[in-house]
Amino acid sequence: MNSKIRLLEAAVCLLAAMPALARAPQEQMAAVQPSELKKLSIEQLMEIDVTSVSRRSERVSGAAAAITVITGEDIRRSGANNLPDALRLAVSLHVAQADGRTWAISSRGFNITTANKLLVLIDGRSVYTPLFSGVFWDVQDVMLEDVDRIEVIRGPGAALWGANAVNGVINILTKSARDTQDRLATVGGGTEERGFGSFRQGGKMGERTFYRAYGKYSYRDSLAFEGGGSAHDPLRRAQAGFRIDRDIDRDIDRDTDRDTGQATDGGGKSTFTFQGDAYKGLSGEAIREDTDLDGGNLLGRWSRTFSEESGLDLQVYYDRTHRRTPNNFEEHRDTVDVDFQHRLPFGQRHDVVWGGGYRVTSDDVENSAAVAFVPDRRTQSLFSAFVQDEVALARNLRLTVGTKLEHNDSTGLEVQPSVRFAWTPTERRTVWGAVSRAVRTPTRLDEDLQFLAFNGTVTLRGDRDFKSEELLAYELGYRIQPRQDLLVDAALFYNVYDNLRTQEPSPAGLPVVLANKLKAETWGLEVRSSYQPRPWLRLHAGYAYLDKELRLDPDSRDPTGGRFEGNDPSHRFLLRSLVDLPGGFELDGSLRYVDRLPFPVVPSYTELDLRLGWRASDRLELSLVGQNLLEDSHPELGTPLPTRQEVERGVYGKATWRF
């Protein structure tokens, strides 16, 4: 009850200043509008092009999926200083920080620190690790000022993106080098974000080649224990990278797609993108030496556009990661991925996209007395192909049918089909639905992991007979813009899972063996709305509800009942306001409520972030950001012990200079 009272009080505080601002002359407000704010009008939000739903450009208003778009402007005005905090802007995602380097992020349930049912891409490069089919969020970074948008698909995307796109897909897309031709520098620091800075240089090489290079550093302070003491787990990280975009054809139109660089004028055009990143960091540990983090990647993408309806894409990337936790675990991993797709019209009603890919990943693990992967070296290959046909059944009705075929070394061939429809009776209304199958394939953790006691006894181990976890998902959504200044988007879902992971004791008790003896059903509702009553005022609200039922197979002996596979809140709520003040000032607020976690129990919490920004000139922007302002600290994940870590209140200042 206290949390709900604080929620209402904070909402009143957040909105209290708005009536006074409304008395300001409208023409005075309009005089200070930066050009970027036009992108955030409700009309523009409905017209944003997205590529994650069908692997081709389409307007978000007509997409046959539950999709949320976080724009670069949203990130700037949120005050977020890392990708996990930026993802908190999507109420459909449960983002929880467990310690100084570990975030649990998932969609539609099953959120744990090794969450494994959400596929994450950065500019087309998959960043999930085959170690556990999740993401090490402490090493996923980009220069946030260069992010064009983040597309968040809630629900399966496996028919196009493959295994592990079970409960959703996050696609982080950075801007073309053409759009970052200036110099930019940032510097800041505060109580929790102790110090950070970045620099980016953009330019041209001839008339048809554009580039940018960047470097950044951040030092994030430790979390706190319940009693107030430091957990001694700060995260320090440096990263540098580059991107080159080249228009291969001399006559290429300058109006190109920001993601692929493809020309949009309908002619035969070719473009090429080459980019890469390298990082190095240290993650603090309370009871051992710091964890070493380093790695890098290179990506090349060639695109050929034949017309507005047809084109080719070929992408190749190499990824290298290294993580060393002293006296516990060390991994070296190399990944090479090749992906091809071809889009072409077929007759008057069919829009076909098909393609294929190959990925090989190899790791070298150094085991310890407590944790081992057996064997300590393994190479895994993945072959894939997909096809999707969008059929125009009538003027306002589209049916999309497709499937992904994948062959992996553990379970062989996996088939992941999907059927979707979208009905747009008017330009401002869309009804959509989908039935999809997706799988989460076995990983090194499921098959090869061993936990050992002090005497060398194996207490828990994986099993080479581990099966793929399966999902059959049903979705129905409605998207409407009843007025030019109002957008409402709602989605219902019902998910049926089979072969989920359990922990089965051996006849003698030990070792506990990982198996597939859990079934689950989840259902929920997601609603979000955007309202712009004045040119200088925007409001965004979102609500997510989730419920689930877990059932063990009759022969299961898992004492946990499978509850460790996900500890999810039933209710989440988000309210954001963005206010443009006279004199180039901006006042932005974000209020979020997260319901209690049932097992292990984590109390519900309500938190408020505020940002005061000032565009001192066309080149200089100053901002003051307060995060988690309602409480000194609060836990977001973990067992209720004195060693459980809590996220603390923080304040930082930031300066951004373009020159």
Side-chain angles (χ1 to χ4, degrees), residues 426-465:
T426 68
E427 290 186 355
R428 295 189 176 185
R429 284 191 295 159
T430 298
V431 180
W432 63 270
V435 180
S436 309
R437 181 181 187 269
V439 302
R440 200 275 294 179
T441 53
T443 66
R444 288 275 264 154
L445 185 150
D446 302 310
E447 297 180 325
D448 303 331
L449 176 67
Q450 293 186 3
F451 284 152
L452 298 100
F454 291 108
N455 61 1
T457 301
V458 177
T459 59
L460 182 146
R461 67 171 177 85
D463 188 347
R464 279 299 178 95
D465 293 327

Side-chain angles (χ1 to χ4, degrees), residues 339-392:
D339 184 83
F340 165 81
Q341 81 170 46
H342 181 205
R343 180 190 175 197
L344 71 160
F346 187 75
Q348 298 295 319
R349 294 178 176 270
H350 298 265
D351 189 343
V352 177
V353 179
W354 69 277
Y358 172 70
R359 177 182 303 158
V360 58
T361 181
S362 178
D363 64 32
D364 183 357
V365 178
E366 294 189 19
N367 297 320
S368 69
V371 180
F373 286 85
V374 181
D376 58 1
R377 296 185 181 184
R378 189 172 174 186
T379 298
Q380 298 167 282
S381 298
L382 178 72
F383 299 87
S384 66
F386 75 92
V387 62
Q388 174 181 276
D389 185 11
E390 181 181 288
V391 187

Side-chain angles (χ1 to χ4, degrees), residues 503-517:
Q503 302 177 32
E504 303 295 332
S506 300
L510 292 178
V512 175
V513 180
L514 299 181
N516 302 90
K517 298 186 177 184

Side-chain angles (χ1 to χ4, degrees), residues 545-566:
Y545 168 74
L546 172 72
D547 202 356
K548 64 183 176 182
E549 179 180 329
L550 305 176
R551 300 188 309 277
L552 291 173
D553 290 348
D555 61 341
S556 174
R557 300 172 57 232
D558 187 342
T560 71
R563 291 178 293 177
F564 279 122
E565 281 303 290

